[in-house]
Amino acid sequence: MTARTLLLLPPPGTGLQSAAQRVFDALGAHRPRFIERHGANQSYDFYWQAHCGAALGRAACRVRGDLWEPQEPQNSIHIELEAHAGAALALAGLQEELLARGWSLPPTPIG
């Protein structure tokens, strides 16, 4: 799957479900569901997923945290939106909206 991604830092104390709901509300995504995948060698993946409206071609949006405990407040949120003609614009608008609501960008590496 080709996707566009965005990494943001949520306000302190924000859990994965709350962060995902804010993202989905901003993108007009509906019917979110929690996905848990257990793979080989004890690998484990979990995220929230929802599908956006017709303006984004019903593209899937996935929201992951950085901590292995989904109930814990997350330090960073990784947002992945399936590639679509409007995906880049949608993520730019999402970033602007979330930054206005107290989210922040991760520090840029020096070098």
Side-chain angles (χ1 to χ4, degrees), residues 19-51:
Q21 192 59 56
R22 288 180 186 141
V23 168
F24 297 150
D25 287 348
L27 291 175
H30 57 282
R31 296 195 329 210
R33 61 189 176 117
F34 187 68
I35 308 290
E36 291 182 88
R37 292 193 174 152
H38 301 274
N41 299 324
Q42 297 181 344
S43 68
Y44 179 65
D45 189 20
F46 59 85
Y47 52 89
W48 280 91
Q49 177 174 300
H51 290 277

Side-chain angles (χ1 to χ4, degrees), residues 62-94:
R62 293 174 188 85
V63 179
R64 287 181 171 79
D66 65 323
L67 301 179
W68 287 101
E69 295 295 329
Q71 295 80 17
E72 295 295 316
Q74 301 294 309
N75 299 311
S76 64
I77 298 294
H78 181 90
I79 303 158
E80 183 179 284
L81 183 59
E82 285 180 336
H84 181 272
L89 188 58
L91 285 180
L94 173 65

